[in-house]
Amino acid sequence: MSKIIKLDQTIYQLSQQYPEIVTILHDLGFVEIVKPMMMNTVGRLMTLKAGASLRNIDLEMIKNTLVNQGFIIVEENDE
């Protein structure tokens, strides 16, 4: 089964679809992601792209890490 990630999905949506992504994103610098309150508030609104910008984390590094973990990244314009 392919693990497809759309960059316009919220972090909450991604965590519900792929629970293992929480640990991956935490290790990449999304340290607040493991706090249930943050996931249930900010995580429901924040996309992966916006979160990377807010946390000053290189989006390309995130994408490369996720691809190396078996995810397929779909850009908004790829659909």
Side-chain angles (χ1 to χ4, degrees), residues 53-65:
S53 177
L54 182 69
R55 294 302 243 152
N56 200 23
I57 303 170
D58 181 39
L59 185 60
E60 290 303 313
M61 180 191 66
I62 294 170
K63 292 195 291 190
N64 289 336
T65 300

Side-chain angles (χ1 to χ4, degrees), residues 3 5 7 20-30 48 52 57-73:
K3 298 188 286 186
I5 292 178
L7 293 179
E20 69 273 25
I21 205 168
V22 173
T23 302
I24 297 167
L25 293 177
H26 176 270
D27 293 346
L28 289 172
F30 289 83
L48 192 54
I57 303 170
D58 181 39
L59 185 60
E60 290 303 313
M61 180 191 66
I62 294 170
K63 292 195 291 190
N64 289 336
T65 300
L66 290 171
V67 167
N68 289 335
Q69 294 292 324
F71 291 91
I72 298 169
I73 308 295

Side-chain angles (χ1 to χ4, degrees), residues 14-58:
L14 293 171
S15 73
Q16 295 300 297
Q17 192 170 5
Y18 308 112
E20 69 273 25
I21 205 168
V22 173
T23 302
I24 297 167
L25 293 177
H26 176 270
D27 293 346
L28 289 172
F30 289 83
V31 294
E32 302 290 323
I33 198 171
V34 295
K35 297 179 181 177
M37 188 170 126
M38 289 298 287
M39 180 64 80
N40 286 314
T41 56
V42 177
R44 289 182 184 267
L45 304 173
M46 186 74 58
T47 64
L48 192 54
K49 188 184 287 187
S53 177
L54 182 69
R55 294 302 243 152
N56 200 23
I57 303 170
D58 181 39

